[in-house]
C-alpha cells in the first residue's frame, strides 16, 4: 500500500506540473500574458514543429514587407530627413519582434517537453524524442530567426546608409550630411547588436533547457525533470515582465 501511495503521489506531482498555467490558442498567442505559457493548439510534436517554423517565417515576412514599404515610400534624402521617426520606429519594431519571437520559441520548447514527457513512452524513447527541441527549435527555427539579423536589418544599411544617404554626399551641406550619416549608422549598428544579443540569449536558454531535461530523463529522475521545467517556466515569466 505504501508503494502504491508513493506512486500516486509522484503521478499527482507530475500532472500538477504539466496541467497548470498554460493557455492553448489556434496559432501563436503574442499577447504575452505574464502568468501563462503561450502554447500552440497541437496534439503531436510534428504539428508543433510545423507551427513553430511557420511562426518564425511569418515574423520574418511581416518585417520584410514593412521594410519594403518603408524603402518604397522613403526613397530620397529629403524624404529620409522628413521621416526619420518612421525609420527609428521600424528599427525598434525589429527589436521588439525579435524579442517576442525569442520568448515564444522558449515557450514552444517548454510545450515540446510537455508533449514528450506526458506521452506513454519509455524514458529511453522520451530521451530520444526530446532531441527534437534541439533539432527543430534550437537549430532550424534558430537559423531562420537569424535571418532577421543577417538579412533584414543588414539590408537597411544598403538601402539607407550605403544607398540614398551616401548618394546625397555632393547634394547637401557636408556637415549636415555627415551628422545624418553618422546617426543612421549608430542606430543601425545598435539595432544589429541588440538583435544579435536577443538571438544569442534565446539559443543559449533553449540549448541549456533541452540538455538539462534530457539529462534528467536519462537518469530517470522525474523530480529533477519537474524542477527544471518549473525553473525554465519562471525564466520565461521573468522575460515577459521586462
Amino acid at each position: 500500500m505504501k508503494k502504491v501511495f508513493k506512486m500516486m503521489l509522484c503521478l499527482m506531482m507530475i500532472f500538477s506540473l504539466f496541467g497548470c498555467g498554460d493557455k492553448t490558442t489556434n496559432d501563436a498567442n503574442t499577447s504575452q500574458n505574464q502568468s501563462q505559457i503561450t502554447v500552440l493548439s497541437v496534439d503531436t510534436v510534428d504539428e508543433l514543429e510545423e507551427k513553430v517554423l511557420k511562426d518564425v517565417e511569418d515574423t520574418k515576412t511581416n518585417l520584410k514587407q514593412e521594410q519594403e514599404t518603408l524603402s518604397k515610400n522613403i526613397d530620397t534624402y529629403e524624404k529620409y530627413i522628413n521621416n526619420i521617426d518612421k525609420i527609428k520606429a521600424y528599427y525598434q519594431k525589429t527589436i521588439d519582434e525579435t524579442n517576442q519571437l525569442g520568448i515564444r520559441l522558449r515557450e514552444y520548447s517548454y510545450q515540446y517537453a510537455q508533449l514528450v514527457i506526458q506521452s506513454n513512452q519509455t524514458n529511453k524513447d522520451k530521451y530520444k524524442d526530446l532531441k527534437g527541441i534541439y533539432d527543430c527549435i534550437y537549430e532550424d527555427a534558430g537559423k531562420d530567426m537569424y535571418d532577421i539579423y543577417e538579412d533584414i536589418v543588414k539590408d537597411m544599411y544598403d538601402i539607407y546608409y550605403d544607398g540614398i544617404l551616401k548618394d546625397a554626399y555632393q547634394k547637401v551641406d557636408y556637415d549636415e550630411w555627415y551628422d545624418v550619416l553618422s546617426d543612421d549608422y549608430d542606430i543601425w549598428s545598435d539595432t544589429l547588436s541588440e538583435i544579435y544579443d536577443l538571438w544569442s540569449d534565446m539559443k543559449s536558454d533553449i540549448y541549456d533547457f533541452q540538455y538539462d531535461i534530457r539529462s534528467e530523463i536519462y537518469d530517470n529522475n522525474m523530480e529533477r525533470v519537474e524542477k527544471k521545467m518549473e525553473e525554465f517556466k519562471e525564466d520565461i515569466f521573468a522575460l515577459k515582465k521586462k
Side-chain angles (χ1 to χ4, degrees):
M1 287 296 293
K2 290 183 177 179
K3 290 184 178 179
V4 173
F5 177 76
K6 289 181 178 179
M7 184 178 297
M8 290 178 64
L9 182 60
C10 181
L11 288 173
M12 288 173 65
M13 290 173 64
I14 295 172
F15 291 154
S16 174
L17 167 67
F18 298 130
C20 300
D22 296 336
K23 175 170 58 178
T24 300
T25 60
N26 291 329
D27 291 297
N29 184 331
T30 58
S31 63
Q32 297 300 308
N33 188 309
Q34 294 179 3
S35 62
Q36 293 181 312
I37 290 289
T38 302
V39 298
L40 296 167
S41 179
V42 296
D43 296 318
T44 67
V45 292
D46 288 339
E47 292 178 286
L48 178 61
E49 289 180 1
E50 183 179 345
K51 289 194 174 186
V52 167
L53 297 178
K54 184 178 184 301
D55 186 4
V56 180
E57 193 61 35
D58 287 347
T59 301
K60 292 193 314 179
T61 297
N62 291 337
L63 288 173
K64 188 63 177 179
Q65 288 176 345
E66 187 165 337
Q67 182 191 80
E68 291 171 352
T69 300
L70 198 69
S71 62
K72 183 178 180 180
N73 294 332
I74 305 175
D75 57 357
T76 67
Y77 179 85
E78 292 74 19
K79 289 180 181 178
Y80 178 94
I81 296 299
N82 293 328
N83 292 280
I84 187 64
D85 57 325
K86 294 181 180 179
I87 301 292
K88 292 180 178 179
Y90 177 74
Y91 276 124
Q92 186 59 51
K93 182 171 184 177
T94 62
I95 293 171
D96 293 342
E97 290 293 324
T98 301
N99 181 49
Q100 296 304 321
L101 178 59
I103 291 174
R104 293 198 301 276
L105 290 180
R106 291 174 175 88
E107 292 176 310
Y108 300 154
S109 298
Y110 180 92
Q111 183 182 4
Y112 201 114
Q114 280 186 310
L115 287 170
V116 174
I117 294 169
Q118 289 179 354
S119 67
N120 296 320
Q121 300 183 96
T122 64
N123 279 359
K124 181 178 180 179
D125 288 336
K126 290 176 182 179
Y127 174 84
K128 180 178 67 176
D129 288 351
L130 283 167
K131 188 174 182 293
I133 298 174
Y134 179 94
D135 293 337
C136 174
I137 304 178
Y138 176 85
E139 281 286 346
D140 295 343
K143 182 179 179 181
D144 289 346
M145 179 180 172
Y146 187 76
D147 290 342
I148 299 174
Y149 169 88
E150 183 64 27
D151 296 330
I152 296 174
V153 177
K154 282 192 173 182
D155 282 350
M156 292 289 284
Y157 178 94
D158 297 330
I159 295 168
Y160 293 106
Y161 182 88
D162 201 38
I164 65 172
L165 298 184
K166 183 178 180 180
D167 292 343
Y169 170 65
Q170 294 182 327
K171 301 177 184 177
V172 299
D173 176 75
Y174 176 80
D175 290 338
E176 175 195 318
W177 172 84
Y178 182 81
D179 288 343
V180 171
L181 195 70
S182 297
D183 289 345
D184 182 81
Y185 182 85
D186 287 344
I187 189 173
W188 171 81
S189 178
D190 290 346
T191 301
L192 202 65
S193 295
E194 188 158 356
I195 285 177
Y196 182 86
D197 289 344
L198 289 168
W199 172 82
S200 180
D201 289 346
M202 176 276 298
K203 292 270 285 185
S204 295
D205 289 350
I206 290 176
Y207 180 87
D208 290 345
F209 171 67
Q210 62 84 32
Y211 179 85
D212 290 344
I213 291 295
R214 294 186 79 215
S215 296
E216 302 304 343
I217 287 288
Y218 185 84
D219 291 338
N220 295 311
N221 193 333
M222 295 309 297
E223 183 177 347
R224 290 285 297 171
V225 169
E226 177 183 353
K227 182 177 180 181
K228 293 297 182 181
M229 290 287 287
E230 187 63 27
E231 289 175 348
F232 191 57
K233 183 165 64 173
E234 291 302 319
D235 288 343
I236 294 171
F237 292 162
L239 287 171
K240 287 186 172 188
K241 293 177 181 178
K242 289 184 178 179

